[in-house]
Amino acid sequence: MNRAKLSYDDLLQKTKDQELELIRLAKNRHLLSNFGFYIEESNDLICVAGKDGFYKEVNPAFLKIFGFTSEELLGTSLLSFIHPDDLKQSIKEMEKLSQGKTSISFENRIVNRNGEIITIQWSASNDITGNFIYFIGRDITAVRLSEENLRISQKLL
C-alpha cells in the first residue's frame, strides 16, 4: 500500500476545510430550526400533501382553523373539507398541481369541524421529486365578508 504523505501545509489546509464544513453544517441546522419555528408559529396554513390527495404534514394553524386533530386531518382526503360549491374548481387546481404546475393565489372555502365556512387563499407548488405538493394558505374570510358587506351597502344607496 503506497500512501503519499501529506505535507504540513496540506494537513493544515485539510483541517481548515473540515472546520469550514462543520461551521457550514451548524449554520444550516440553525437555519432549519429557525425555519421550523416560523412554520409552527405561523397563522397561515402550511402543509405538505401527497399526490394521493391526503395531507402528509400540517402546521398548528390547520388544527386551529379546521378544528380537527392532526390525526383526523392526515387520515382524510383534503378534498373532503372543501365547500361543495368550490369542489369542481379545487379538483381542477389539484389536477394542475399533479401535472407539476404551480398554482398561485387560488381560493376555495373549507367547512371546519363547527360547520363554519372559511375562505382560504392558497399558493402551491410541487417538490423537486414531484411526489409532494407544498401549500401555504391564508384565511381571508374577513376580507371576503367585508367586500360582500360593501357591495350590499352600495346597492342600498
Side-chain angles (χ1 to χ4, degrees), residues 45 58-71 73:
L45 302 163
V58 294
N59 73 334
F62 260 88
L63 310 180
K64 182 179 171 188
I65 291 172
F66 278 59
F68 293 95
T69 67
S70 61
E71 292 80 17
L73 287 170

Side-chain angles (χ1 to χ4, degrees), residues 47-49 53-58 62 66 73-74 76 78 81:
C47 73
V48 179
F54 285 79
Y55 294 112
K56 303 302 179 192
E57 291 287 334
V58 294
F62 260 88
F66 278 59
L73 287 170
L74 299 177
T76 308
L78 60 97
F81 299 103

Side-chain angles (χ1 to χ4, degrees), residues 111-128:
V111 181
N112 73 7
R113 171 171 247 146
N114 296 330
E116 297 168 313
I117 297 171
I118 313 292
T119 304
I120 308 290
Q121 181 181 54
W122 298 100
S123 291
S125 65
N126 290 279
D127 77 330
I128 196 164

Side-chain angles (χ1 to χ4, degrees), residues 5-28:
K5 291 188 178 181
L6 296 174
S7 70
Y8 174 78
D9 288 338
D10 292 338
L11 286 172
L12 188 59
Q13 185 60 47
K14 189 171 185 172
T15 302
K16 285 181 182 178
D17 291 345
Q18 289 173 340
E19 286 175 353
L20 289 173
E21 180 63 13
L22 288 172
I23 290 169
R24 186 188 67 75
L25 290 172
K27 283 181 180 178
N28 284 344

Side-chain angles (χ1 to χ4, degrees), residues 1-156:
M1 194 179 280
N2 188 9
R3 293 174 106 186
K5 291 188 178 181
L6 296 174
S7 70
Y8 174 78
D9 288 338
D10 292 338
L11 286 172
L12 188 59
Q13 185 60 47
K14 189 171 185 172
T15 302
K16 285 181 182 178
D17 291 345
Q18 289 173 340
E19 286 175 353
L20 289 173
E21 180 63 13
L22 288 172
I23 290 169
R24 186 188 67 75
L25 290 172
K27 283 181 180 178
N28 284 344
R29 276 194 291 277
H30 178 71
L31 288 173
L32 288 176
S33 70
N34 282 343
F35 187 66
F37 168 80
Y38 290 108
I39 289 172
E40 292 296 311
E41 298 300 320
S42 176
N43 289 326
D44 289 335
L45 302 163
I46 302 172
C47 73
V48 179
K51 296 289 178 149
D52 60 0
F54 285 79
Y55 294 112
K56 303 302 179 192
E57 291 287 334
V58 294
N59 73 334
F62 260 88
L63 310 180
K64 182 179 171 188
I65 291 172
F66 278 59
F68 293 95
T69 67
S70 61
E71 292 80 17
E72 291 170 319
L73 287 170
L74 299 177
T76 308
S77 166
L78 60 97
L79 294 175
S80 66
F81 299 103
I82 296 173
H83 188 282
D85 293 344
D86 296 346
L87 195 55
K88 190 174 182 178
Q89 175 236 349
S90 297
I91 290 171
K92 283 182 184 178
E93 288 295 329
M94 287 300 294
E95 288 170 354
K96 179 179 167 182
L97 288 161
S98 69
Q99 295 168 1
K101 298 177 181 170
T102 298
S103 189
I104 297 176
S105 195
F106 73 94
E107 293 179 21
N108 63 18
R109 292 167 293 170
I110 60 111
V111 181
N112 73 7
R113 171 171 247 146
N114 296 330
E116 297 168 313
I117 297 171
I118 313 292
T119 304
I120 308 290
Q121 181 181 54
W122 298 100
S123 291
S125 65
N126 290 279
D127 77 330
I128 196 164
T129 67
N131 294 322
F132 298 101
I133 303 168
Y134 297 103
F135 289 89
I136 297 176
R138 176 160 290 168
D139 180 352
I140 59 167
T141 306
V143 173
R144 292 298 173 252
L145 287 172
S146 294
E147 291 172 351
E148 183 61 27
N149 288 337
L150 183 60
R151 275 192 292 276
I152 291 169
S153 65
Q154 287 175 342
K155 285 182 181 178
L156 295 175

